Structure formats: structure tokens, C-alpha cells
């Protein structure tokens, strides 16, 4: 399916094709580089991200993994001085091409952050806020319920939708943030350390949820927790900080099936990192 | 934490090497008891199996605990999995030494055949050499040495086939038939023992390359 990110909000495609077995590339990333002023954050990243899979991005602090996923929905646009080079094709469309609406990009490619960040509003309003902003006002209650159900939160909150989102536990707040991202019917969900601030039980709930969500969505998760990557991801990308030629930059070292990365990685640097012999 | 982990891995691997030393002692004892028709030594080999079993068990428990606490991955995971297999192979090899010793006792009153005893001694000696090669290949992460076990095993298989022909020539007296029966099983034990060593070699290659593959097909048409 080709998604027209240049289409105005009112004409966007809302239907998604059902799960298909054939590999379908959602992101085709070619020689992606990111720099902040004189600092290179990422260099020469080439990878393809497949539909309906969980792709994990792992690597040491400062290797550019968060910078990387923030490129995927142009979240880095909001940081001043960022220059993105190379090509980032989303269903064949250059995300950084002229005429592309970054707001529409972020609707199709949602994001969940490390710390749950619900608005200080009711549970219902948290989910419906973006819907109203985007003009998706028909069947608002139905959309809110569907989003909360998909985020496995509905049963816990259905009787108190009017209560403040801040009354929820940390794990519930994070699932609310996922519901908020799902409400606008994206195709891709980016998760930047979504469970690092949560206890093990809430973490397990998020991981189970990811497993459910990949039937309908494409998920990309950045995680410090390698066992989490091993548990949830179909494919894993290992980024590392490359310090050659006097320049420090994040590079993609290895990208493969998760089981390969955690049983017999091809690159010694991956081996050293996943076995804990790094740094 | 990773330093402790590495020390634990090293300790487990050292225990595995010790276990192979115990198996070598067991095998040597079994071969000497067979050659000398020494019933007492055969009993000692049978009793010695408890030491191998104890070593097997503590390795098994050590690996279980390590898996539960450290979640090894990549080369560490392959080492742990390979050690689990090698541990079991070594324990089975010691069991085969026990069987050889039991058969030695059963045949103690029978007149031995010099050529057959020599062939069994040759097979046992080759098996000992194979164990040393395999365990050194493991210690030194030497895939080439591990693969060479296939050729050494072929020599044991050939000796086994030679022994079977020799037994058929022993004659039809009741004693000879019983003797033939006993030594064929002993020969079979030594042949199986060598097969276990080849399997250890396969684990060494898996450890080094991540590739699980049998060196030779067990249903090989030449094998009797």
C-alpha cells in the first residue's frame, strides 16, 4: 500500500490492508545522516523496516538510536540546527521531500516516549484531543473506546473516563499514551524506551501489547534493555558510536533477525555489546 | 556483574575439562580390566561412575543457575548450550565404560582371543586419543581439530567391522559363542563411545561458528 503523506488531512486513507505474510517495506532508508551544527550524530545508515514487524533499535548511550527513530517521523525538525541527509522513503515517498506535511507524517507515524506524558486532562480528553485537532470528529466516543481497547486499557478505565489521566498508575499512563497515538489511526508506532520508567509487571503489559499491536501496525522500538529487544522484536538493529578518522558518529553496525543477533551475530562489535563486554 | 559472569563461565568450562579427565580414567580402567581379566579393577570402574555422575550433576546445576541469572547471549549462549551437550555426552561415555566392565566380568572365565583383545585395545586407545583431541579443540576453539575427529572415528569403525569378522571365525563351541557375544557388545560400546566424541566435536564447531551441523550422516550405508 502506498500512503500519500502529501495528501491533505481530510483526504487521507483510513483503511489499512489486512495482515499479509509477504514482506512489505515500510521504510527504505538510504545513506541517512544527521548532524547538529558541527556534530555528526548519525552517518551512512542503510536499512529497510518491514511492515507488521517489531523492529528494535539497540546500542550504547550516545550511539544515535533515538536520533534515528526521531528521523522516521520528522520529530527532529523540532530541534534547531538539525540537518538530515540521505534518503528516508516511507512507502516510496521521501519523508523529507518538498510538499510533505510533517503533521501528516506524524499522524501516520505516531510516537510514544520514555516517560508517560499524559496531558493534565481527563482520560477521555487525552485520547480525543488529537482527533479533534485533526478534524476526526465523527464517532468520537467510538474512536476513543477503540483506541483504549487496542491499548489494552479499556477494561481498567471504562468507568472513569472523566477522571484525570494523572490518577492512573505509570504503566496505565503509558498505555494511555499508546492509546493516544493509536487514536489517530497511524500505520507505524515509534516507541522510544517505552518501558524504562515502568515496573516489571507494567513492562510485561507493554510488551504483550506490542505483540498484539504488530498484527495491525508496524512498530519500531528503541530500548536500552537488550532482553526486552530479544523478547519483543522480530528484527534488531545494533547502532554503535564509531570513532574513526577523528570523528564521532553513530553508525548502524548490524541489522538482522533478532534470534540471529542474540545467538550468532556477524559483527564482533555486536557480539561484544550483546554479551556485555562492551565498555 | 559481567566479570562474575565470565568467571562463572570459565569455572563451568574447567569443570567440563575435569569431567573429561574422569572419563579418560574410567576408560583406561575399563580397558586394563578387559586386557588383564581383572575383576576387581572392573568393579572399581563400575563404582567410579558415581564420581562422573556427581560431576555431571554439579555442571548441570551450575549451568541451570547461570541460565536463570545471567541470560547469556551470542557466544556465551552457544558456549552454555554446547557445555550442556558435552556434559551429557561425557556422562554417557562413562556409562559405556561401566557396561564394558560389566561385560568383562561376565566373560572373565572364558578363554580370551589374543587378536580380539588387541583390536579392542586399539579401539579403546583411539577413543582415548579422540577424547583428548575433542577436549583440546574445545579449550582452544579449534574447529579444524574438531572436524578431524571424523577421520579418527572412521578408524574405530573399521576396527569394529574387523572385530565382527574375527568373531564369526571363532568357531561354534558354546564358550566361543558366548565369548563372541560379549566382545561384540564391548566393541559396540567402544564404537558408540567414539561416536559421542564426534558429537562433542560438532558442539565445538557450533560454539565457534554458530552453525549446527552433523559431521557425518548417522545412516551412512557403510556402517554396520
Amino acid at each position: 500500500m502506498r500512503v500519500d503523506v502529501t495528501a491533505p488531512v481530510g483526504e487521507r486513507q483510513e483503511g489499512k490492508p489486512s495482515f499479509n505474510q509477504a514482506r512489505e517495506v515500510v521504510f527504505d532508508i538510504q545513506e541517512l545522516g544527521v548532524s547538529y551544527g558541527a556534530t555528526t550524530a548519525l552517518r551512512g545508515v542503510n536499512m529497510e523496516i518491514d511492515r507488521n514487524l517489531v523492529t528494535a533499535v539497540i546500542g550504547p548511550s550516545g550511539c544515535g538510536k533515538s536520533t534515528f527513530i526521531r528521523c522516521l517521523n520528522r520529530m527532529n525538525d523540532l530541534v534547531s540546527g538539525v540537518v538530515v541527509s540521505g534518503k528516508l522513503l516511507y512507502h516510496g515517498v521521501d519523508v523529507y521531500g518538498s510538499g510533505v506535511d510533517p503533521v501528516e507524517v506524524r499522524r501516520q507515524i505516531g510516537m510514544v516516549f520514555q516517560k508517560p506524558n499524559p496531558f493534565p486532562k481527563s482520560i477521555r480528553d487525552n485520547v480525543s484531543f488529537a482527533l479533534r485537532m485533526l478534524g476526526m470528529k465523527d464517532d468520537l466516543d467510538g474512536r476513543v473506546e477503540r483506541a483504549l481497547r487496542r491499548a489494552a486499557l479499556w477494561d481498567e478505565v471504562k468507568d472513569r473516563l472523566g477522571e484525570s489521566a494523572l490518577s492512573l498508575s505509570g504503566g496505565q499512563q503509558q498505555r494511555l499514551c499508546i492509546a493516544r497515538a493509536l487514536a489517530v489511526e497511524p500505520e507505524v508506532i515509534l516507541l522510544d524506551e517505552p518501558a524504562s520508567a515502568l515496573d516489571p509487571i507494567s513492562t510485561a503489559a507493554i510488551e504483550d501489547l506490542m505483540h498484539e499491536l504488530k498484527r495491525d501496525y508496524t512498530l519500531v522500538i528503541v530500548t536500552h534493555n537488550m532482553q526486552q529487544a530479544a523478547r519483543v522484536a522480530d528484527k534488531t538493529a545494533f547502532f554503535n558510536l564509531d570513532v574513526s578518522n577523528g570523528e564521532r558518529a553513530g553508525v548502524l553496525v548490524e541489522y538482522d533477525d533478532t534470534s540471529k543477533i542474540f545467538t550468532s551475530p556477524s559483527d564482533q562489535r555486536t557480539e561484544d555489546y550483546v554479551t556485555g563486554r562492551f565498555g | 556483574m559481567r566479570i562474575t559472569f565470565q568467571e562463572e563461565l570459565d569455572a563451568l568450562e574447567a569443570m567440563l575439562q575435569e569431567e573429561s579427565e574422569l572419563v579418560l580414567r574410567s576408560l583406561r580402567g575399563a580397558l586394563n580390566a578387559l586386557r588383564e581379566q581383572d575383576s576387581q579393577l572392573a568393579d572399581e570402574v563400575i563404582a567410579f561412575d558415581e564420581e562422573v555422575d556427581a560431576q555431571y550433576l554439579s555442571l548441570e546445576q551450575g549451568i541451570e543457575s547461570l541460565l536463570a541469572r545471567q541470560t547469556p547471549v551470542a557466544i556465551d549462549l552457544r558456549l552454555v548450550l554446547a557445555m550442556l551437550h558435552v556434559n551429557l555426552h561425557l556422562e554417557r561415555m562413562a556409562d559405556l565404560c561401566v557396561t564394558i566392565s560389566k561385560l568383562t566380568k561376565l566373560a572373565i572365565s572364558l578363554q580370551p582371543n589374543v587378536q580380539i583383545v588387541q583390536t579392542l585395545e586399539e579401539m579403546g586407545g583411539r577413543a582415548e586419543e579422540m577424547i583428548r583431541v575433542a577436549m583440546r579443540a574445545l579449550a582452544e576453539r579449534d574447529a579444524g581439530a574438531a572436524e578431524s575427529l571424523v577421520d579418527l572415528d572412521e578408524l574405530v569403525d573399521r576396527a569394529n567391522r574387523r572385530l565382527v569378522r574375527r568373531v564369526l571365525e571363532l568357531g561354534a563351541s558354546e564358550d566361543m559363542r558366548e565369548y563372541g557375544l560379549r566382545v561384540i557388545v564391548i566393541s559396540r560400546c567402544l564404537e558408540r563411545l567414539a561416536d559421542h566424541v564426534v558429537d562433542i566435536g560438532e558442539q565445538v564447531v557450533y560454539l565457534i561458528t554458530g552453525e549446527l551441523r552433523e559431521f557425518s550422516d548417522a545412516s551412512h550405508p557403510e556402517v554396520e
Side-chain angles (χ1 to χ4, degrees):
Chain A
M1 183 185 77
R2 283 174 77 94
V3 178
D4 184 5
V5 287
T6 59
V9 171
E11 296 170 19
R12 68 186 156 252
Q13 292 170 270
E14 297 206 347
K16 279 191 288 287
S18 59
F19 179 78
N20 57 17
Q21 282 85 4
R23 179 172 175 266
E24 187 189 331
V25 175
V26 175
F27 289 103
D28 178 6
I29 298 149
Q30 301 165 9
E31 286 299 317
L32 183 75
V34 180
S35 56
Y36 301 92
T39 311
T40 307
L42 271 183
R43 187 177 63 215
V45 176
N46 291 288
M47 70 188 272
E48 290 180 347
I49 295 175
D50 293 343
R51 184 180 178 81
N52 294 115
L53 292 186
V54 177
T55 300
V57 179
I58 61 170
S61 297
C63 70
K65 54 191 189 298
S66 284
T67 301
F68 170 72
I69 71 159
R70 280 154 198 262
C71 284
L72 299 181
N73 70 345
R74 293 188 56 167
M75 211 58 122
N76 286 329
D77 289 13
L78 310 173
V79 182
S80 65
V82 167
V83 176
V84 176
S85 59
K87 274 224 164 101
L88 204 159
L89 304 178
Y90 173 65
H91 293 290
V93 177
D94 188 350
V95 170
Y96 288 86
S98 61
V100 171
D101 174 9
V103 174
E104 177 56 16
V105 168
R106 289 176 210 133
R107 189 199 63 78
Q108 294 192 17
I109 307 165
M111 193 155 199
V112 175
F113 298 90
Q114 179 172 2
K115 277 180 72 176
N117 54 352
F119 309 125
K121 288 172 168 290
S122 71
I123 294 167
R124 181 190 290 108
D125 286 350
N126 262 274
V127 182
S128 64
F129 182 76
L131 292 170
R132 280 185 266 123
M133 289 284 287
L134 290 166
M136 300 162 79
K137 289 176 185 164
D138 57 306
D139 189 21
L140 207 53
D141 286 348
R143 287 177 187 271
V144 168
E145 178 177 339
R146 280 197 298 281
L148 287 167
R149 280 189 187 282
R150 280 179 182 165
L153 189 60
W154 175 250
D155 288 339
E156 291 161 60
V157 301
K158 63 185 178 199
D159 300 323
R160 49 174 176 144
L161 293 173
E163 287 180 26
S164 167
L166 302 178
S167 68
L168 298 174
S169 73
Q172 288 172 326
Q173 287 186 14
Q174 193 63 304
R175 277 178 285 147
L176 179 64
C177 292
I178 292 173
R180 197 169 65 184
L182 297 178
V184 297
E185 304 187 10
E187 187 204 358
V188 180
I189 312 279
L190 309 175
L191 303 112
D192 192 352
E193 300 268 2
S196 63
L198 304 181
D199 64 80
I201 294 189
S202 303
T203 298
I206 299 284
E207 289 177 3
D208 284 349
L209 179 57
M210 291 180 67
H211 201 72
E212 284 293 310
L213 290 176
K214 76 173 180 183
R215 282 187 305 179
D216 297 317
Y217 305 90
T218 301
L219 303 171
V220 184
I221 175 175
V222 165
T223 178
H224 260 111
N225 180 337
M226 276 182 293
Q227 285 310 309
Q228 182 167 64
R231 285 191 297 266
V232 303
D234 301 289
K235 301 193 83 170
T236 296
F238 169 58
F239 281 72
N240 199 8
L241 193 62
D242 180 60
V243 194
S244 54
N245 309 324
E247 188 193 55
R248 296 160 62 86
V251 294
L252 174 63
V253 173
E254 187 168 351
Y255 176 46
D256 212 324
D257 289 343
T258 299
S259 60
K260 176 86 166 69
I261 295 284
F262 287 96
T263 56
S264 39
S266 307
D267 194 290
Q268 187 62 40
R269 289 169 291 175
T270 316
E271 178 99 43
D272 289 346
Y273 183 73
V274 297
T275 58
R277 290 181 176 81
F278 176 91
Chain B
M1 175 181 144
R2 289 281 110 174
I3 293 166
T4 323
F5 174 52
Q6 187 60 54
E7 284 170 358
E8 277 188 58
L9 272 181
D10 292 347
L12 290 170
E13 205 179 332
M15 282 172 71
L16 201 62
Q17 291 288 342
E18 282 167 24
E19 189 179 355
S20 75
E21 295 290 329
L22 298 181
V23 171
L24 277 168
R25 277 171 66 186
S26 190
L27 177 56
R28 186 30 57 193
L31 293 169
N32 287 348
L34 175 68
R35 192 185 57 235
E36 307 297 332
Q37 291 185 285
D38 185 339
S39 182
Q40 196 187 336
L41 181 56
D43 278 332
E44 285 172 26
V45 171
I46 294 165
F48 187 71
D49 193 45
E50 278 185 23
E51 292 197 30
V52 181
D53 286 349
Q55 184 81 357
Y56 163 79
L57 209 62
S58 48
L59 244 168
E60 191 83 1
Q61 287 163 347
I63 290 170
E64 181 191 39
S65 161
L66 185 101
L67 279 171
R69 290 175 296 107
Q70 303 279 15
T71 50
V73 294
I75 180 83
D76 301 333
L77 176 65
R78 302 204 301 276
L79 176 60
V80 170
L81 293 177
M83 287 197 295
L84 271 176
H85 282 279
V86 174
N87 190 30
L88 188 59
H89 285 302
L90 289 171
E91 192 270 338
R92 292 274 164 82
M93 286 156 66
D95 287 348
L96 289 168
C97 295
V98 169
T99 307
I100 292 168
S101 293
K102 286 180 177 169
L103 287 159
T104 297
K105 289 180 72 183
L106 286 171
I108 213 101
S109 61
L110 301 170
Q111 178 63 39
N113 174 289
V114 178
Q115 283 175 308
I116 284 178
V117 171
Q118 279 175 351
T119 304
L120 292 172
E121 178 65 32
E122 179 204 329
M123 290 171 77
R126 292 199 191 282
E128 287 176 317
E129 176 62 13
M130 286 173 72
I131 296 171
R132 292 195 184 93
V133 168
M135 296 311 289
R136 204 181 311 126
L138 174 62
E140 295 170 3
R141 308 289 192 260
D142 184 344
E147 299 229 28
S148 77
L149 290 165
V150 176
D151 295 336
L152 294 171
D153 184 48
E154 179 55 30
L155 298 176
V156 177
D157 289 347
R158 268 187 223 164
N160 182 43
R161 292 196 286 272
R162 202 164 63 234
L163 185 134
V164 171
R165 285 196 297 275
R166 175 68 57 197
V167 166
L168 292 174
E169 294 161 10
L170 277 178
S173 78
E174 192 172 330
D175 275 5
M176 280 301 107
R177 277 185 290 151
E178 184 183 352
Y179 180 73
L181 205 65
R182 304 292 185 213
V183 293
I184 277 194
V185 180
I186 291 174
S187 178
R188 172 74 179 153
C189 284
L190 290 168
E191 188 265 326
R192 284 299 304 145
L193 198 147
D195 287 347
H196 279 291
V197 188
V198 174
D199 289 349
I200 291 175
E202 289 170 357
Q203 292 298 317
V204 172
V205 169
Y206 165 69
L207 165 64
I208 297 165
T209 64
E211 186 190 356
L212 273 171
R213 126 181 104 82
E214 287 205 56
F215 286 163
S216 55
D217 188 351
S219 59
H220 208 270
E222 306 171 6
V223 176
E224 286 174 30

